[in-house]
Amino acid sequence: MAAVLPRRCTALLALIVTAVAVTLAMPASPAAAADPEGGTKKLRTALENAAKGYDQAKTKLAASKKRQKQLTTRLSQSESTAKAMTSQVTAVAQQSYQMGRISSVGLLLNSATPDRFVQRAQSLDILAQVNSQTLATYQEQIETAKRAKTALDAEVTEQQRQVNVMARKKKQAEIALAEVGGGSSGGFVSADSPAAEPAPRNSDGSWPSEKCTVDDPTSTGCITPRTLHAYQESRSDGFKRYTVCFSERASGEHPKGRACDFSAASGGFEDKAATGGDKAYGDRLAAYFVKNADSLGVMYVIWYRQIWMPSTGWRAYSASGGPAAVHTNHVHLSML
């Protein structure tokens, strides 16, 4: 019995060693692999929160300004109508004073014939209805103007609140970017960039909540409808070089289907910084997404050691690593 136990232990130990060896030999899961985009998960989370908060405040601000414009029109119309009715109301007041209850009864009693009596009674009734309607309309216009003024004051307060939120989100983005350079930069902007077809928005101007639900034409994965729209618009406007959107990453927008990497070189991603015509292509593509950011729903663009966000404009983005990490061989697009 004593001789059997060691053999069993030896066999068990061999199985454990084999299992460990197989496990160590297995490649790491793509999802757990280091993100080749550079930066950190903390940075990307901070940028996403700042960008989404800024966009929401911007949308609410635009909606408030639209309501303010409508209220201003309503106030102007009510005040103009009330002013125009002032003379009518004055006449009604004078008429009511001159034709009080006794005067009205006197007019009826002085009727020469029954027919005349009925005619006068009808006239007085009609006059009372007209006077009542005039006064009611006048009062309605006054109340409408008061409500419009109160609502306008509320919209001014709302707009200031959203401006403050935007400023706070801008500051948050700047603080996060300060860890990777973050200073203002020239960036890539072109007034000659083509205009993209706008992506669908909600009736209040906000972006629909989307998930990775449509097939990614650049991979076997999925992307959001808005990401697909941006990809298709860029291709229709001439940017047709190799692109990859969905990919398994430890963090960021790629695994969520909300990001694409656009190769600067015509033959695909190269392990070197783009120069010459490839650099010019990347410049134009980055400028294209910046110009159409509001139409497409762009969260940020990264290209050639610089990052653009709606709240901050172009900023230095000094991640460390090779061309992929510092974005000198491809343009990175992240979507809201």
Side-chain angles (χ1 to χ4, degrees):
M1 188 70 177
V4 175
L5 185 58
R7 284 199 297 271
R8 288 181 177 176
C9 290
T10 302
L12 180 60
L13 180 61
L15 288 173
I16 293 174
V17 171
T18 301
V20 171
V22 170
T23 301
L24 292 175
M26 290 176 63
S29 169
D35 193 334
E37 289 284 353
T40 64
K41 181 177 180 179
K42 177 183 176 183
L43 171 63
R44 280 186 284 273
T45 299
L47 293 181
E48 179 181 356
N49 291 338
K52 287 185 174 180
Y54 182 88
D55 179 74
Q56 291 169 359
K58 180 181 176 183
T59 299
K60 291 179 180 179
L61 176 61
S64 179
K65 288 183 176 180
K66 182 178 180 180
R67 292 193 299 270
Q68 183 184 39
K69 185 177 180 180
Q70 294 171 342
L71 287 167
T72 300
T73 300
R74 188 185 307 170
L75 174 62
S76 178
Q77 291 174 342
S78 297
E79 289 180 336
S80 296
T81 301
K83 184 177 180 180
M85 292 183 68
T86 300
S87 58
Q88 297 179 44
V89 172
T90 300
V92 168
Q94 291 175 347
Q95 197 171 52
S96 298
Y97 175 77
Q98 294 172 357
M99 297 180 64
R101 179 179 297 274
I102 296 177
S103 297
S104 298
V105 172
L107 286 172
L108 293 174
L109 292 176
N110 291 330
S111 300
T113 65
D115 290 340
R116 186 60 176 167
F117 179 91
V118 172
Q119 289 176 359
R120 287 192 174 186
Q122 290 176 339
S123 297
L124 288 172
D125 183 58
I126 293 173
L127 179 60
Q129 292 179 24
V130 171
N131 289 347
S132 177
Q133 183 61 41
T134 299
L135 291 172
T137 301
Y138 179 76
Q139 185 62 32
E140 180 182 352
Q141 295 302 321
I142 294 296
E143 292 300 322
T144 299
K146 288 181 179 179
R147 289 193 298 269
K149 287 180 180 179
T150 301
L152 277 171
D153 290 340
E155 292 302 339
V156 170
T157 301
E158 169 67 8
Q159 288 171 29
Q160 186 57 57
R161 189 171 75 87
Q162 297 306 328
V163 167
N164 292 339
V165 172
M166 291 171 68
R168 187 165 64 250
K169 293 301 178 181
K170 178 178 183 293
K171 187 65 176 179
Q172 290 175 3
E174 290 174 343
I175 292 174
L177 288 173
E179 298 180 4
V180 287
S184 298
S185 62
F188 310 94
V189 179
S190 174
D192 297 327
S193 295
E197 186 71 22
R201 287 179 179 262
N202 294 321
S203 58
D204 64 355
S206 62
W207 291 112
S209 177
E210 296 182 345
K211 294 185 178 181
C212 199
T213 56
V214 298
D215 291 339
D216 176 15
T218 72
S219 73
T220 58
C222 61
I223 53 179
T224 67
R226 196 155 48 248
T227 303
L228 176 62
H229 177 77
Y231 168 77
Q232 292 174 333
E233 284 298 300
S234 67
R235 290 186 68 80
S236 68
D237 285 323
F239 300 101
K240 300 181 179 181
R241 294 187 178 182
Y242 182 70
T243 304
V244 173
C245 296
F246 177 88
S247 63
E248 293 287 355
R249 304 284 177 89
S251 64
E253 289 76 44
H254 283 289
K256 301 175 185 177
R258 295 196 287 110
C260 293
D261 287 336
F262 298 81
S263 171
S266 57
F269 300 118
E270 295 182 347
D271 192 23
K272 63 179 182 179
T275 58
D278 294 344
K279 172 65 163 52
Y281 176 87
D283 293 350
R284 291 195 303 273
L285 180 56
Y288 171 81
F289 284 129
V290 168
K291 178 177 179 178
N292 293 288
D294 191 57
S295 297
L296 298 176
V298 172
M299 183 159 66
Y300 57 78
V301 180
I302 310 176
W303 168 238
Y304 234 83
R305 300 187 181 87
Q306 297 180 63
I307 182 172
W308 180 90
M309 298 179 69
S311 61
T312 64
W314 282 105
R315 296 268 172 170
Y317 186 81
S318 303
S320 59
V326 298
H327 299 83
T328 54
N329 70 347
H330 73 278
V331 174
H332 173 90
L333 171 71
S334 282
M335 301 294 293
L336 291 166

